[in-house]
């Protein structure tokens, strides 16, 4: 009988994995003389080794060419954002015209709501999940209030109805149907940040549209984690960040999707010069003529130094492709689940759904004995070079990222938990 907790077994799993690790392409943080077991790609992904070269290329061009760097070479700054357009489209399952890298996640969410949240007296409401990431809740509540409506009545927060704070599709469907006549927008996460639950985006978009509502997604924990098909989902818009699973650095330039059917929309928008049609932008006319597609929501010229690390990361995703990464993610997270259920179920409760279709890399864990024990285990892990992250009030999140985590990393986590003496 195979011993899941043996080094031999973990090493065999890594050696036989259909997708060999790209761990060597990343800088791995160290504790003392050893590499950490880093499971925090759901918060900040590791630095690709190729990022420095892309950043230095921009710095060198700035040093030697100054303003002329906008117009020279394959990586000229005028069209620099186009270098990430097609790989970004492949990453999220979109058409190139549907995606753009710009701004930050919440700024993009506000820009999208300026166009797609158009409340009326009859339809003022936004539906989100209860316990949404605070930035999302702040954004939607402020939009409701900005339009003269009351978040107390017009921000509808669906309470979880499943184990561990998860949501059933029946509950989501019921809420959309129940409030459908009042809904202007359904804004839902691709992956719920605290529980790690992933959702059927295409079905949620269908349900929202059937009630006459717009549908948008926050994919902060979905992009680079799930095998997305945004175009086919029929979502009206989506936003995400690039500093988590897409490994593009702290505060990285974010991403935005606008479905192709809105490429030439007459919906109002907050406009800026860089969203103006590229063919007439430098005529400096007073009338705004939007670039067709997602790029038409750009405001200012892109931050070139911020886009450079994204290029390095997307090159790695393109090298292996999301289907292979998603398959490896299922293997790693499945191994983590097996170790917990076989040996650690007296210490850890898994909140994330067991169905691989309803989760990505992340398993959200609650420690037996309450918050004090949870904090004690979290500290014990960090002291031994095993880094996860903590979410109040009592959740440890462990996310084996398939680009750089290994089965040996997962085993190290489980053994370190096993060595901890809980109260």
């Amino acid at each position: 009988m195979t011993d899941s907790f043996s080094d031999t077994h973990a090493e065999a799993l890594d050696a036989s994995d259909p997708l060999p690790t790209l761990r060597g392409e990343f800088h791995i943080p160290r504790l003392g003389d050893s590499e950490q077991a880093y499971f925090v790609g759901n918060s900040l992904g590791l630095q690709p080794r190729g990022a420095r070269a892309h950043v230095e290329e921009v710095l060198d061009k700035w040093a030697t060419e100054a303003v002329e760097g906008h117009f020279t070479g394959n990586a000229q700054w005028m069209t620099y954002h186009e270098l990430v357009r097609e790989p970004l489209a492949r990453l999220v399952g979109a058409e190139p015209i549907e995606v753009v890298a710009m701004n930050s996640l919440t700024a993009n969410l506000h820009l999208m709501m300026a166009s797609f949240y158009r409340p009326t007296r009859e339809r003022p409401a936004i539906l989100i999940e209860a316990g949404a990431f605070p930035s999302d809740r702040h954004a939607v509540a402020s939009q409701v209030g900005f339009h003269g409506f009351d978040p107390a009545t017009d921000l509808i927060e669906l309470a979880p109805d499943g184990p561990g704070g998860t949501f059933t599709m029946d509950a989501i469907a019921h809420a959309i149907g129940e409030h459908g006549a009042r809904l202007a927008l359904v804004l839902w996460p691709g992956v719920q940040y605290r529980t790690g639950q992933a959702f059927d985006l295409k079905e949620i978009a269908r349900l929202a549209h059937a009630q006459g509502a717009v549908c948008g997604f926050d994919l902060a924990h979905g992009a680079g984690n799930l095998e997305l098909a945004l175009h086919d989902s029929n979502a009206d818009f989506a936003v995400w960040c690039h500093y988590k699973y897409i490994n593009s650095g702290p505060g990285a330039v974010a991403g935005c999707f606008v479905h192709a059917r809105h490429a030439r929309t007459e919906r109002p928008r907050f406009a800026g010069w860089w969203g103006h049609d590229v063919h007439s932008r430098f005529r400096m006319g007073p009338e705004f003529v939007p670039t067709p597609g997602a790029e038409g929501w750009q405001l200012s010229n892109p931050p070139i130094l911020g886009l450079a690390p994204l290029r390095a990361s997307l090159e790695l995703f393109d090298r292996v492709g999301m289907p292979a990464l998603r398959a490896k993610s299922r293997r790693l997270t499945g191994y983590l689940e097996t170790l917990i259920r076989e040996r650690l179920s007296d210490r850890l409760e898994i909140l994330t759904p067991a169905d691989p279709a309803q989760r990505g890399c992340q398993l959200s864990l609650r420690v037996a004995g309450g918050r004090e024990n949870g904090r004690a285990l979290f500290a014990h892990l960090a002291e031994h070079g095993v880094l996860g992250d903590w979410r109040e009030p009592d959740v440890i999140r462990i996310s084996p990222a398939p680009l750089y985590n290994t089965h040996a990393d997962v085993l190290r986590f489980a053994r370190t938990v096993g060595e901890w003496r809980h109260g």
Side-chain angles (χ1 to χ4, degrees):
M1 182 176 178
T2 301
D3 180 5
S4 299
F5 262 70
S6 72
D7 289 329
T8 302
H9 181 63
E11 290 166 1
L13 290 174
D14 284 327
S16 64
D17 198 283
L19 178 60
T21 182
L22 272 68
R23 188 182 185 89
E25 300 286 352
F26 291 87
H27 293 283
I28 309 297
R30 304 181 72 84
L31 181 66
D33 296 331
S34 301
E35 290 182 343
Q36 290 182 343
Y38 187 86
F39 296 107
V40 204
N42 59 337
S43 188
L44 179 66
L46 296 181
Q47 182 188 137
R49 291 186 180 274
R52 186 179 299 273
H54 283 296
V55 172
E56 289 182 345
E57 177 188 44
V58 176
L59 290 173
D60 289 343
K61 184 181 271 295
W62 180 20
T64 59
E65 300 181 33
V67 71
E68 294 302 313
H70 285 89
F71 314 110
T72 60
N74 294 329
Q76 62 181 269
W77 302 333
M78 282 295 299
T79 55
Y80 199 90
H81 65 284
E82 296 177 6
L83 296 174
V84 302
R85 183 169 56 198
E86 292 195 9
L88 198 56
R90 288 189 287 272
L91 183 71
V92 298
E95 297 176 357
I97 197 173
E98 295 176 318
V99 298
V100 63
M102 64 180 189
N103 307 319
S104 60
L105 187 155
T106 305
N108 287 342
L109 179 56
H110 277 297
L111 290 174
M112 292 297 98
M113 287 192 287
S115 294
F116 292 101
Y117 173 56
R118 307 302 301 166
T120 64
R121 185 170 300 173
E122 294 76 22
R123 281 187 179 272
I126 300 177
L127 175 69
I128 65 173
E129 88 275 21
F133 194 83
S135 187
D136 280 8
R137 194 191 187 284
H138 298 334
V140 296
S142 68
Q143 285 276 342
V144 170
F146 177 81
H147 286 280
F149 297 98
D150 185 356
T153 55
D154 300 323
L155 176 54
I156 301 168
E157 298 178 87
L158 176 62
D161 65 318
T166 58
F167 298 83
T168 65
M169 185 56 75
D170 285 346
I172 297 170
H174 182 267
I176 293 173
E178 178 184 3
H179 300 287
R182 297 186 64 244
L183 286 179
L185 170 65
V186 174
L187 179 69
W188 206 257
V191 176
Q192 213 287 330
Y193 85 99
R194 182 179 282 113
T195 66
Q197 181 183 10
F199 298 95
D200 184 339
L201 305 188
K202 187 172 185 178
E203 178 62 7
I204 293 172
R206 185 192 70 79
L207 291 166
H209 291 155
Q211 295 296 330
V214 168
C215 185
F217 295 112
D218 178 344
L219 301 175
H221 290 268
N225 180 11
L226 303 178
E227 193 175 354
L228 298 170
L230 282 184
H231 177 81
D232 291 344
S233 78
N234 215 31
D236 294 287
F237 69 87
V239 293
W240 60 91
C241 51
H242 287 131
Y243 50 79
K244 298 181 189 295
Y245 293 105
I246 308 178
N247 312 306
S248 298
V253 179
C256 188
F257 162 91
V258 179
H259 198 278
R261 68 178 176 278
H262 301 302
R264 291 174 173 81
T265 183
E266 296 299 317
R267 287 175 174 269
R269 74 180 81 194
F270 291 156
W273 184 54
W274 212 258
H276 190 284
D277 181 67
V278 65
H279 302 292
S280 58
R281 183 183 298 157
F282 280 89
R283 295 176 188 169
M284 305 301 189
E287 180 184 358
F288 178 70
V289 180
T291 298
E295 290 187 11
W297 273 267
Q298 294 178 107
L299 299 180
S300 301
N301 55 317
I304 306 304
L305 284 167
L307 284 170
L310 178 58
R311 289 182 63 197
S313 179
L314 290 176
E315 287 166 4
L316 297 177
F317 279 95
D318 259 355
R319 185 190 304 180
V320 295
M322 275 307 301
L325 283 170
R326 180 68 178 122
K328 181 161 189 170
S329 173
R330 289 189 177 205
R331 292 190 291 274
L332 287 170
T333 306
Y335 181 50
L336 173 61
E337 180 185 24
T338 296
L339 295 178
I340 292 170
R341 297 200 186 283
E342 284 186 358
R343 300 278 187 94
L344 304 172
S345 58
D346 63 327
R347 304 178 187 209
L348 298 177
E349 174 192 3
I350 300 175
L351 307 180
T352 309
D355 178 6
Q358 294 185 61
R359 69 186 188 199
C361 300
Q362 174 182 319
L363 288 189
S364 295
L365 309 172
R366 181 172 289 142
V367 180
R371 185 180 185 279
E372 184 176 342
N373 271 356
R375 291 298 302 177
L377 173 57
F378 186 71
H380 173 80
L381 290 167
E383 289 166 3
H384 290 79
V386 179
L387 203 62
D389 77 348
W390 177 268
R391 283 294 175 263
E392 294 291 351
D394 59 355
V395 173
I396 295 175
R397 304 187 304 177
I398 300 295
S399 302
L403 277 171
Y404 49 76
N405 282 125
T406 63
H407 293 84
D409 285 337
V410 172
L411 177 59
R412 181 175 168 187
F413 163 79
R415 282 183 168 169
T416 307
V417 174
E419 293 162 359
W420 173 66
R421 297 293 177 258
H422 62 301

